[in-house]
Amino acid sequence: MRKRLTATEYIEGILAFDISILSRAITLVESRLTSDRLLAKEILQALLPHTGKSLRVGITGVPGVGKSTFIESFGSFLIEKVQKKVAVLAIDPSSQRSGGSILGDKTRMQVLSQNPNAYIRPSAAGDSLGGVSNKTRETLLLCEAAGFEVILIETVGVGQSETAVKEMSDFFLLLMLAGAGDELQGIKRGIMEMADLVVINKADGENQLRAEQARADYARALHLFPPHQGSWIPEALTCSALEKSNLESIWQHIQNYQTLTQNNGFWHINRQNQNLQWFKATINEELQRHFYQNESIRNSLEIVEEQVRAGKTPPMLAAETLLRKYFE
Ligand code: GDP
């Protein structure tokens, strides 16, 4: 058992870019123990003035599109060519239920994980996506306080995790592949609409031409969406994460976005709205936690669930009964 650090030791360690202390602080944030949560709150509170200065980039795409390869290449590019410190947070929705993971295996981003200016952290599985994303936001703040200048928040383009990531990013990048035939098939429209930039990955070798064709198709499709709130015009680019091509151009796009939206105020408004969402999400999460921890709810939940499953009690009525019990 390691010695428990004091809040001051955590705070000073994080501000001094001590990655092992940062890691331990994130573990506190993820903990379910009340004493850990209280300590985490104290640390976060003290570090708040040191947060908010990073560029938060959300990255999504289906499994196999090349997210980890891209982050490995792009992260290394940012560190070496742009002299940024880069943190990578990975939200893996699949690990919540099954314990298995799409993102979490250790072989991912081996080069980047060795770099002293990089930090890679999978977001722990929680009870709910809300729980995961609140913890991810707190983790993001800790990384910012430590001095990471670009935070890449990665998620698999399945379920609702990309919405959660969008809600904590300044810029949202969608990785895609050139498909066979109809390039626009099978894309969740909602995700495309969230993207500030679409990048067609694996534009190398024989795939290069198809990737360029797909790029043109996506670029056209992007123009059909309602105008971006920040007056930004999302575009489509190609890249090869494997050959590290076009990373410069992607970075240029992100910088253009930052300049434009910081000048027209959208950057700030977006962060304000995100804070409001976070505030509401925290209330929802705490209420839920409180509800499910309630002794009398815990005692009857299983029975009521069984009655609902068996069709003996209508779901609405069952929920109402439990809620009444809770509020008594
Ligand atoms: P993820 O599931 O989205 O994280 O995808 P991975 O990064 O694990 O990549 C899936 C597979 O695609 C791996 O075999 C990679 O080597 C390969 N891959 C990733 N990026 C590229 C690329 O730019 N070009 C080519 N040819 N293959 C790539």
Side-chain angles (χ1 to χ4, degrees), residues 121-137:
R121 178 88 182 197
S123 244
D127 304 329
S128 66
L129 197 56
V132 174
S133 54
N134 269 350
K135 284 170 194 149
T136 310
R137 283 186 211 243

Side-chain angles (χ1 to χ4, degrees), residues 158-230:
V158 294
Q160 284 152 15
S161 60
E162 59 273 357
T163 311
V165 171
K166 167 86 181 171
E167 283 173 3
M168 61 183 95
S169 325
D170 301 309
F171 187 90
F172 197 62
L173 191 157
L174 172 63
L175 279 180
M176 302 278 297
L177 293 174
D182 183 358
E183 259 77 19
L184 296 180
Q185 248 177 33
I187 300 136
K188 282 197 259 169
R189 195 188 148 88
I191 299 187
M192 272 271 273
E193 263 180 83
M194 287 194 269
D196 298 306
L197 178 66
V198 172
V199 174
I200 319 295
N201 190 32
K202 307 196 189 183
D204 45 45
E206 288 177 359
N207 204 29
Q208 219 160 339
L209 269 178
R210 286 202 308 153
E212 178 48 40
Q213 182 58 43
R215 190 204 61 76
D217 290 342
Y218 284 120
R220 261 194 305 279
L222 284 168
H223 279 96
L224 300 177
F225 291 136
H228 189 281
Q229 283 173 299

Side-chain angles (χ1 to χ4, degrees), residues 98-115:
S98 62
S101 86
I102 304 177
L103 292 176
D105 63 276
K106 291 191 185 70
T107 56
R108 303 174 89 244
M109 305 173 209
Q110 263 171 348
V111 175
L112 195 60
S113 61
Q114 303 294 319
N115 195 310

Side-chain angles (χ1 to χ4, degrees), residues 76-94:
S76 304
F77 165 84
L78 291 175
I79 292 169
E80 278 145 30
K81 301 273 160 58
V82 198
Q83 267 82 52
K84 299 279 188 199
K85 296 195 183 93
V86 177
V88 179
L89 311 180
I91 300 187
D92 185 349
S94 68

Side-chain angles (χ1 to χ4, degrees), residues 59 67-88 108-120 148-150 152 240-245 247-248 251:
I59 298 177
K67 288 180 298 303
S68 61
T69 313
F70 176 79
I71 291 171
E72 171 107 320
S73 298
F74 192 57
S76 304
F77 165 84
L78 291 175
I79 292 169
E80 278 145 30
K81 301 273 160 58
V82 198
Q83 267 82 52
K84 299 279 188 199
K85 296 195 183 93
V86 177
V88 179
R108 303 174 89 244
M109 305 173 209
Q110 263 171 348
V111 175
L112 195 60
S113 61
Q114 303 294 319
N115 195 310
N117 285 320
Y119 178 64
I120 301 174
F148 286 100
E149 296 147 309
V150 180
L152 305 176
S240 167
L242 207 60
E243 296 181 351
K244 306 181 179 19
S245 70
L247 302 176
E248 185 101 45
W251 174 238

